[in-house]
Amino acid sequence: MKKIRAYAIQCIKDEAQATLDLIPQLDDNFDRAVQMMFNCHGKIIVTGVGKSGHIGAKIAATLSSTGTPAFYINPLDVFHGDLGVMTKDDVVLALSNSGQTDELLRFIPLVLHMNIPIIGISGNPQSLLAKYSDAHITVKVEKEACPLNLAPTSSTTAALVMGDAIAIALMEMRNFKPQDFAHFHPGGELGKRLLTTATDVMRTHDLPIIPKEMHLGEAIIHVSKGKLGLGVSLDENEQVCGLITDGDIRRAMEKWQAEFFDRTVDDIMTRQPKTVLPTTKITEIQRIMQKYKIHTVLVVDKEQHLLGIVDHYSCMI
């Protein structure tokens, strides 16, 4: 079993090294390629054959989900009608480890005829793909992780990583934000978290509202009944003026002991509790909770009228 595990360890080391070896290969061609994609007014058409095609499909998916419209097309399908999806506003990103793949090279003249820019990714800067590319990104590996040095392993991993590097560079150039990511991922958990607001999850009924003149002995009962571990005080204008928590009550009991029941909510309440607007995203509410080490925020309107309460558990969507 140890010997089997050793094979896996060596494979991981080889592919990790192939990835690190990409760094010195980065040059002006990478900058030019990313700039071409950034300035593209159409789509990024990613293409490749075999394993390069599989990698290309993933790169296209990553680009699309991070703000750069892209899709994968098999060069063989171009000869059967798929050429119609391409326009002069597009950019082609072609992948081939050798840079000499026959099916891909037969596709290149059609792209050139339509005056569509080509970005090539291959391990051979002297290849025909490199020759006909407006920008060629070299992704060369010393050897495959395959013990026969035949199966595409290190080379496909390196190409995938280079694709991610392109996507990340474009994200930075576009100043891509979490809300942008949510726009392209509305169905997943992350999308829900990034799109959900305080209004969607706040508690609006049976809010634990207590007057600031209430004695703490009575306030304990109201805080307990509220089941949120807190009580909110409003002033004469129905605006939030303070908040007490069960922790505040425990500390007050320790501090005042026998005098505790003579004290009021006004003596211990936090006079400027953390509040958010109804449109505040859940991700921002979680950031506030983490920053101030609190488990609840009050939802108010612009005049500080209490609308609801969001606690830690409400954010766990």
Side-chain angles (χ1 to χ4, degrees):
M1 293 297 292
K2 289 185 178 180
K3 191 173 184 181
I4 293 175
R5 194 173 304 168
Y7 298 150
I9 292 171
Q10 187 58 49
C11 175
I12 293 170
K13 286 182 176 180
D14 288 344
E15 297 201 8
Q17 187 59 53
T19 298
L20 291 173
D21 288 344
L22 292 176
I23 296 175
Q25 297 183 56
L26 293 173
D27 57 18
D28 292 343
N29 277 286
F30 180 86
D31 302 344
R32 191 179 305 117
V34 172
Q35 196 67 53
M36 287 168 61
M37 294 187 187
F38 181 74
N39 295 330
C40 176
H41 296 295
K43 310 169 294 297
I44 307 300
I45 311 295
V46 186
T47 188
V49 179
K51 301 298 188 297
S52 292
H54 295 308
I55 297 301
K58 193 277 179 184
I59 292 174
T62 300
L63 289 170
S64 292
S65 68
T66 53
T68 301
F71 66 88
Y72 169 77
I73 187 171
N74 189 312
L76 297 176
D77 293 334
V78 169
F79 298 98
H80 301 280
D82 283 8
L83 188 64
V85 304
M86 299 175 61
T87 73
K88 59 183 178 59
D89 292 325
D90 298 333
V91 170
V92 166
L93 177 62
L95 287 81
S96 169
N97 185 41
S98 67
Q100 302 285 122
T101 306
D102 181 63
E103 298 91 340
L104 185 62
L105 294 179
R106 285 192 283 122
F107 168 56
I108 296 299
L110 303 177
V111 179
L112 295 175
H113 179 72
M114 297 178 67
N115 293 317
I116 297 175
I118 300 173
I119 298 170
I121 295 181
S122 83
N124 183 3
Q126 279 75 49
S127 64
L128 288 175
L129 175 59
K131 178 181 178 181
Y132 290 109
S133 295
D134 295 272
H136 178 264
I137 300 174
T138 301
V139 178
K140 186 177 182 179
V141 299
E142 289 300 319
K143 67 184 184 69
E144 300 287 2
C146 165
L148 302 177
N149 197 28
L150 295 174
T153 44
S154 296
S155 59
T156 48
T157 298
L160 184 61
V161 170
M162 187 60 76
D164 286 343
I166 292 171
I168 297 305
L170 286 167
M171 286 179 70
E172 293 287 354
M173 293 177 70
R174 298 186 195 284
N175 195 26
F176 200 76
K177 299 294 185 183
Q179 55 266 31
D180 300 316
F181 192 86
H183 176 73
F184 295 110
H185 300 75
E189 179 181 347
L190 178 58
K192 290 179 182 177
R193 284 160 53 87
L194 291 169
L195 294 175
T196 302
T197 64
T199 299
D200 298 319
V201 300
M202 67 184 184
R203 173 173 163 178
T204 58
H205 62 283
D206 297 328
L207 298 179
I209 298 174
I210 54 178
K212 61 181 180 180
E213 298 83 9
M214 179 180 286
H215 285 90
L216 293 180
E218 187 178 357
I220 293 175
I221 299 173
H222 287 271
V223 169
S224 178
K225 285 183 177 180
K227 297 181 180 179
L228 288 174
L230 57 81
V232 182
S233 291
L234 307 180
D235 61 19
E236 60 275 7
N237 297 316
E238 297 297 309
Q239 296 172 312
V240 173
C241 65
L243 176 146
I244 65 169
T245 67
D246 47 10
D248 294 330
I249 294 173
R250 287 194 302 272
R251 286 186 288 272
M253 293 179 69
E254 293 175 2
K255 178 179 179 181
W256 287 311
Q257 298 183 14
E259 298 178 14
F260 171 79
F261 292 97
D262 296 325
R263 299 289 179 168
T264 66
V265 170
D266 189 51
D267 292 324
I268 67 170
M269 70 181 187
T270 299
R271 301 185 185 280
Q272 291 183 323
K274 300 305 175 187
T275 61
V276 297
L277 294 173
T279 55
T280 305
K281 299 290 191 297
I282 287 299
T283 49
E284 173 61 14
I285 293 175
Q286 289 179 316
R287 186 194 68 78
I288 292 172
M289 290 180 177
Q290 292 172 0
K291 179 178 179 180
Y292 295 102
K293 295 181 173 57
I294 56 178
H295 61 80
T296 309
V297 296
L298 307 181
V299 183
V300 298
D301 61 18
K302 292 182 179 179
E303 287 74 38
Q304 292 296 298
H305 296 122
L306 183 66
L307 301 177
I309 297 175
V310 176
D311 64 4
H312 170 74
Y313 297 104
S314 302
C315 296
M316 298 174 65
I317 58 174

